[in-house]
Amino acid sequence: MTGASLIPVSDLSRQNADLLLELESAVNSVLNSGWFIFGENTLRFEAEFADYCQVRHCVSVANGTDALELSLRAAGCQAGSRVATVANAGFYTSTALLAIGARPVYVDIDERLTLSATDLQRVLDQDPEIQIVVVTHLYGQMADMNNICRLVQSRGIKLIEDCAQAHGAELAGKKAGSFGQMSTFSFYPTKNLGAIGDGGAVLTNSDELADKLRLLRQYGWRERYKVECPGGRNSRLDEIQAAILRIKLQHLDNANRQRREIARAYHQAAGSTNLKYPSSGFGTDYVAHLCVAMHPKRDLLADHLRKNGIATAIHYPIPDYRQPIFQSFEHPLPELVLTEKAQREILTLPCFPGMTMDEIHRVSEAIAAFH
């Protein structure tokens, strides 16, 4: 397509454009304070984000992967532990598990592209050694939490929510991150609540788990230079990122509404085409971190959109169990039918706060024209 600029999948400069003065003021305030780690902004952000997510404790850390690993360690995960999770979420949970020496047990997904409660029941019935389940709210879509919670509670299994793509999502009046014993968040810049660098957090209602997480994020110290807890590391959110996140948190709900409306426009444009959306219905349990659709001729659709000046991506192209790292292990491939189908058909469309109506219309027209 000539004469029109490329529509990107995401554009951080536009997402932050309306907040620049506030963000610059926040950064300058931190610089002038001379206090850069574990200061007032970190304490206030932890309190504000915990309150927003309807939980008692927020323990900030350096990034989302640390959040996953430290929450697993706090839950008692250790070398040899078997943990149920999905294989279509970018290998992040698998990375945390392999760092501990634990073994991922992969569960198939449902039509939302999130962990299937039906397949989870099958896996738990077959593998009584599983003591932890990590459920990922993928692409901004919350998983089937009512049925998943029922399954794990009846078996005394610990539940960790991976909310790295679901900041602000809400199901039946409960926020993402308030269902499990712990929940993890990433504040990577592209997230719905994104910093201007890395950052993460673990949320919990348990005083005991919060205390252990605070030890783990700083060397295992109970007091300075006195190591009490094994498995600790240096994983701290800095003051500049905390100050940035405090401002962005105030705008999160509005940004999520914008994302959801963009995805809804694409859904309406698809009409009777073969393009399908895994969202449960564009309600509050979906915050469109990524607008991912499915089409049986995904590559042809991507080429069609590219010719119309529209960028696309694939999140994520390789199921965890097919990653090259597992070639050196004795690792039988699971039979996850919907996971494999999604890997062949998913396509990420442009969706971010700051998209113009013209861009949304161009993408919608191109979708409608693909047959």
Side-chain angles (χ1 to χ4, degrees):
M1 182 177 182
T2 60
S5 59
L6 179 72
I7 300 175
V9 171
S10 183
D11 187 334
L12 289 177
S13 61
R14 279 196 268 169
Q15 291 182 54
N16 293 326
D18 292 339
L19 303 178
L20 281 182
L21 291 178
E22 289 181 83
L23 299 179
E24 288 174 359
S25 176
V27 171
N28 288 333
S29 177
V30 173
L31 293 176
N32 291 331
S33 75
W35 196 308
F36 305 133
I37 299 291
F38 284 161
E40 180 180 357
N41 280 292
T42 300
L43 292 174
R44 289 193 175 186
F45 172 70
E46 289 180 336
E48 290 160 4
F49 193 56
D51 183 65
Y52 176 84
C53 293
Q54 305 168 342
V55 297
R56 295 181 59 197
H57 301 282
C58 169
V59 180
S60 60
V61 295
N63 55 69
T65 308
D66 278 2
L68 283 165
E69 183 183 338
L70 297 184
S71 67
L72 286 161
R73 290 187 183 277
C77 184
Q78 55 191 337
S81 294
R82 298 173 65 80
V83 177
T85 190
V86 293
N88 69 324
F91 208 79
Y92 304 113
T93 296
S94 295
T95 295
L97 289 169
L98 294 181
I100 295 171
R103 180 71 176 269
V105 180
Y106 294 116
V107 182
D108 210 354
I109 56 177
D110 58 18
E111 67 279 357
R112 309 177 194 204
L113 304 187
T114 56
L115 187 146
S116 164
T118 301
D119 200 52
L120 177 62
Q121 181 169 354
R122 175 191 65 82
V123 169
L124 296 179
D125 287 344
Q126 292 179 353
D127 193 339
E129 294 183 10
I130 293 172
Q131 296 299 315
I132 301 171
V133 172
V134 178
V135 56
T136 301
H137 303 307
L138 195 62
Y139 310 138
Q141 174 61 61
M142 290 187 67
D144 181 10
M145 294 309 293
N146 291 332
N147 286 317
I148 292 170
C149 287
R150 175 182 54 80
L151 282 170
V152 298
Q153 288 168 1
S154 66
R155 291 168 167 79
I157 293 173
K158 293 174 182 174
L159 179 64
I160 297 174
E161 295 175 75
D162 175 3
C163 304
Q165 300 185 5
H167 312 72
E170 184 176 303
L171 178 63
K174 292 187 66 175
K175 282 288 200 300
S178 65
F179 288 83
Q181 277 79 25
M182 285 174 284
S183 59
T184 67
F185 288 82
S186 167
F187 304 124
Y188 185 76
T190 59
K191 303 300 184 184
N192 293 46
L193 180 61
I196 55 172
D198 257 323
V202 184
L203 274 59
T204 182
N205 281 312
S206 166
D207 295 348
E208 180 182 355
L209 288 172
D211 180 64
K212 189 168 185 179
L213 288 162
R214 292 186 179 106
L215 298 183
L216 286 169
R217 73 174 173 183
Q218 186 166 238
Y219 310 117
W221 287 352
R222 171 68 66 185
E223 55 188 77
R224 195 170 181 83
Y225 305 129
K226 186 176 181 180
V227 179
E228 179 177 309
C229 181
R233 83 257 324 272
N234 177 2
S235 183
R236 300 173 296 205
L237 183 72
D238 69 69
E239 278 288 285
I240 286 179
Q241 304 306 335
I244 294 292
L245 291 168
R246 291 185 65 205
I247 291 170
K248 288 195 168 187
L249 181 59
Q250 300 170 42
H251 301 273
L252 176 58
D253 289 342
N254 182 56
N256 284 343
R257 280 190 291 270
Q258 293 180 53
R259 291 174 179 271
R260 194 158 43 235
E261 289 307 309
I262 294 167
R264 191 193 307 274
Y266 298 164
H267 171 68
Q268 292 170 348
S272 60
T273 70
N274 286 329
L275 193 67
K276 304 299 180 185
Y277 292 85
S279 162
S280 63
F282 304 98
T284 57
D285 63 331
Y286 175 62
V287 293
H289 167 65
L290 295 169
C291 181
V292 173
M294 296 178 66
H295 197 285
K297 296 183 178 180
R298 184 262 312 280
D299 295 340
L300 289 176
L301 174 59
D303 186 60
H304 165 76
L305 294 173
R306 179 186 58 79
K307 290 175 180 176
N308 282 273
I310 299 164
T312 61
I314 299 175
H315 296 90
Y316 298 91
I318 306 173
D320 290 13
Y321 51 82
R322 293 192 183 277
Q323 290 286 357
I325 189 172
F326 282 128
Q327 293 178 4
S328 60
F329 296 95
E330 287 188 16
H331 187 76
L333 293 178
E335 296 182 8
L336 305 184
V337 175
L338 291 180
T339 299
E340 293 286 336
K341 183 177 188 292
Q343 185 271 326
R344 295 190 300 269
E345 297 187 2
I346 52 172
L347 188 69
T348 303
L349 305 173
C351 183
F352 56 92
M355 279 190 77
T356 67
M357 291 304 298
D358 177 66
E359 288 174 323
I360 297 168
H361 184 64
R362 280 175 53 192
V363 177
S364 298
E365 279 193 328
I367 289 170
F370 182 72
H371 297 285

